[in-house]
Amino acid sequence: MNSPNSSIFINKDYNPIIVSVILRRYWWWVLLLVGLFMSIAFFYLRYTKPVYDSSMIIQLAEKDQGKELLEIDNVSKNDDISTEIELLRSQLLFEMAISKMNMNVSIFAEGKILTEEKYHQSTFTILPYALRDSSLCDVPIWVETTENGKVKLFYTLNNQNYSNISDVNKTIRTKHFDIAFKVQNWDILKQDDAANKLYFTFNNQKSLASRLIANLEVNPVDVNAKTIELRYNGNNPDLCKDIIQSVATTFFSYDEEMKRKSADNILTFIQLQLDSISGELKDSKDSLTDFQRNTGLTDPENTGGSLADNMSKFQDMLFDLENELATLKMVNSKLRSEPNRLDIYRLIPEMLGKSFEMSLTKQITDLNTSLERKEELLTNVTENNSELKNLNSRIQSKIQSIRRSVEVIQERIRAQINVINAKIGSIEGEYLKLPQKKMEYNRLKSLQDLNEKYYTLLTEKKVMYSISNAGYTSSNRVLNEASLNPVPVSPNRRMVYAGFVFVGFIFGFAFLFFRYITYNEINTVEDLKQLLPDKITILGNIPQLKENSEFSQLMVHTNPKSILAESMRNIRTNLSFVNANAQVIAISSSISGEGKTFVALNLAGIIALSGKKTIVIDLDLRKPKVHLGLNVPNERGISNLIIKQAKLEDCIRHSEIENLHFISAGPIPPNPSELILSDSFFEILDMLKSQYDVVIIDNPPVGLVTDGVQILAKADVPIYIFKAHYSKRIFAGRVRELFDMNQISHLNIILNGTKAFKGKYGYGYGYGYGYGYYEEEIKKKKKNN
């Protein structure tokens, strides 16, 4: 059997008691998680580079003085701004913009965690004069200050180290480059060098543009007004502003240049095409006239239609003949030596509309009549009848005649099919030749039409474009200049802290919710009432002891006025209401550690103190504890009695209480289940019942093994122990299982280890009573007392 812990208990209903317990135990987890996420937010803001942005709005505008003259839209004008947007987003334009910013060198300051690009913010300036080796691009060239007012430059190229020490504000010449190292304030440079690792790189313009273009945004603001917003995000506000301004300036220049070149190229192209198309138009007209004269094909469309009609007619005839041939095959299949009259009768309608209707219909009808006559005769005479024999002979003759007719008709139809197939083949041959002539005619005609249309179009466009282009000018303008925004747009400190605090609360409450739905403890009698079946009776509570002992101890006789003794007396009283004449009390639990041995010893002690002769049997043969609680050795006990290795009087021992005796478990056997359920044990139990007023059995925990269930079922008062803050709610399922499987009919519950409270008479204890079968009787009895 699986342990009760092998399943997961899920709370599906709202329980305010559990909510209060969860809040008291774990409220600090919410604050802990909120504090944790606030710490994460702090470090996130501390080590995240700020992001700045700069934006500009431009408007695309064109002025066309030729439009009014021609009363047409400008030929080169385009109301769709998608082309301009894609140009602004292009790598081509961005590389041109970056090249105009003179970003040949980038300077960086590397901290312990972050690396910052010092665009217009560096404590020194690099003026490049010459770069002799392009492989040095993007290679860090480190800068260190020296004590004598010089700078040391060192770098690694192709696995070889290079260094140079030079004066500042002078030209520095090395094997790979020539630069000027400019410094405004030497002391500030020294401080910057002490705080960070400084280096610079020569930039490859393509790789630099590829790195920076990712942060460029180009979006339409108003398509009708042709306004576009340019926005750039980066870690340096000066760089963002300069890039936006450079992109806009480069776009205006490039757009104007491209349109000027486009206008000149278009007019040149039109003139060249007009010069060549005139000769091609004359040649195409001559070629079409010669083709019509040589082939006599003036209208290919009518010729093709006549051939199609003939083809369709012959295909219809072929279909009818093949249908008739299929009908004849079916007739042949029905003409057996012993034909079925119904099959012959069904052939008559198939002859309708066929070319052989007149020749076969009468023969098949006569055959059907003869078959009907044969069926009539067979109802009155035998097969040896002379008339029937003659009729059979005539039927066979008619079948042979029909078969011969069918063969003749089949040969005729096949001949017709061959003739029609030959005609269809002839028409198909003409069809194969027709497309060639028609295609050639259409090609020549299309070529002529195309040349005429193209010549006319080019002539019109040349005139229109010349006039329109003469009056067209571009007037793109900037509506909002690029701004320098010193406040970062990201990360937003307030939003980050608020978001992380919110997530902390979410995780905190999620943790509380998880603890709630997985809450699996039993703490009060009310918990048991909600979880257990209505058939059970709650005998009472046992308080949690302040003293901790390694083993369950017999304690009620040492302090008769203690809360423990009072609770045991209350349980003893409740037992009298459950079964006043009970002699056998079996005590069990779900698992070890819930206090069944403790309850068994002290309940036996309180009963013995009332004057009843009581004995305790330790039947937990796997983990016996009664002898430990009474401080005696476990040399012999119930296991010896069951296998008859000892006598009863030798195993019964006396305790400190006069009327309380006990039998320990004895040596742990290899087969405890067989011993517990053996007839020998029940014989011993009967002997003890004759000698004692009450027999209390410390049963094995039934949540782990099943051998104790039978003892519970046969006991006068079965008692099941739960321990507050220890037993799991899922253990109640084991009790329900016992009832559902009809293994027990009634059960009594004791909640052990509950916390006492301060009441009217000092420190008292709360008790729950049976709410099943005995509830009303117990309440009335206590009221009378």
Side-chain angles (χ1 to χ4, degrees), residues 16 265 294 313 368 373 477 494 499 536 620 624 676 723 782 784:
N265 292 337
N294 295 333
K313 182 178 68 175
N368 181 63
R373 176 58 184 166
R477 54 183 175 266
R494 291 184 178 180
I536 65 101
D620 192 352
I676 293 172
K723 186 175 182 180
K782 284 195 167 286
N784 294 333

Side-chain angles (χ1 to χ4, degrees), residues 270-284 447 450-456 458-459:
I270 291 175
Q271 185 59 50
L272 291 174
Q273 293 300 310
L274 284 173
D275 292 342
S276 63
I277 201 67
S278 58
E280 295 181 6
L281 179 61
K282 181 179 180 303
D283 293 340
S284 63
L447 185 60
L450 179 62
N451 288 332
E452 290 178 347
K453 183 177 179 180
Y454 193 32
Y455 186 84
T456 303
L458 288 175
T459 303

Side-chain angles (χ1 to χ4, degrees), residues 478-494:
V478 176
L479 299 184
N480 286 347
E481 291 287 348
S483 58
L484 180 62
N485 188 3
V487 179
V489 296
S490 173
N492 187 316
R493 299 183 67 86
R494 291 184 178 180

Side-chain angles (χ1 to χ4, degrees), residues 347-375:
L347 290 176
I348 297 174
E350 297 291 335
M351 302 296 109
L352 297 177
K354 303 295 189 296
S355 62
F356 45 79
E357 176 182 358
M358 298 301 297
S359 59
L360 288 183
T361 301
K362 186 176 184 308
Q363 296 184 60
I364 294 175
T365 303
D366 292 344
L367 177 60
N368 181 63
T369 303
S370 299
L371 291 173
E372 288 179 351
R373 176 58 184 166
K374 178 180 178 180
E375 289 181 0

Side-chain angles (χ1 to χ4, degrees), residues 550-563:
E550 184 178 0
F551 305 109
S552 300
Q553 301 290 327
L554 176 61
M555 307 173 68
V556 291
H557 64 295
T558 59
N559 191 358
K561 294 184 179 181
S562 65
I563 298 177

Side-chain angles (χ1 to χ4, degrees), residues 330-351 360-372 375 395-396 398-400 402-403 406:
M330 182 182 66
V331 170
N332 249 341
S333 66
K334 301 298 183 182
L335 295 176
R336 303 185 296 271
S337 58
E338 295 292 335
N340 185 286
R341 184 186 64 79
L342 291 178
D343 291 342
I344 300 302
Y345 178 75
R346 293 190 183 104
L347 290 176
I348 297 174
E350 297 291 335
M351 302 296 109
L360 288 183
T361 301
K362 186 176 184 308
Q363 296 184 60
I364 294 175
T365 303
D366 292 344
L367 177 60
N368 181 63
T369 303
S370 299
L371 291 173
E372 288 179 351
E375 289 181 0
I395 288 172
Q396 293 300 321
K398 290 179 180 181
I399 290 173
Q400 294 299 324
I402 293 173
R403 284 181 174 173
V406 167

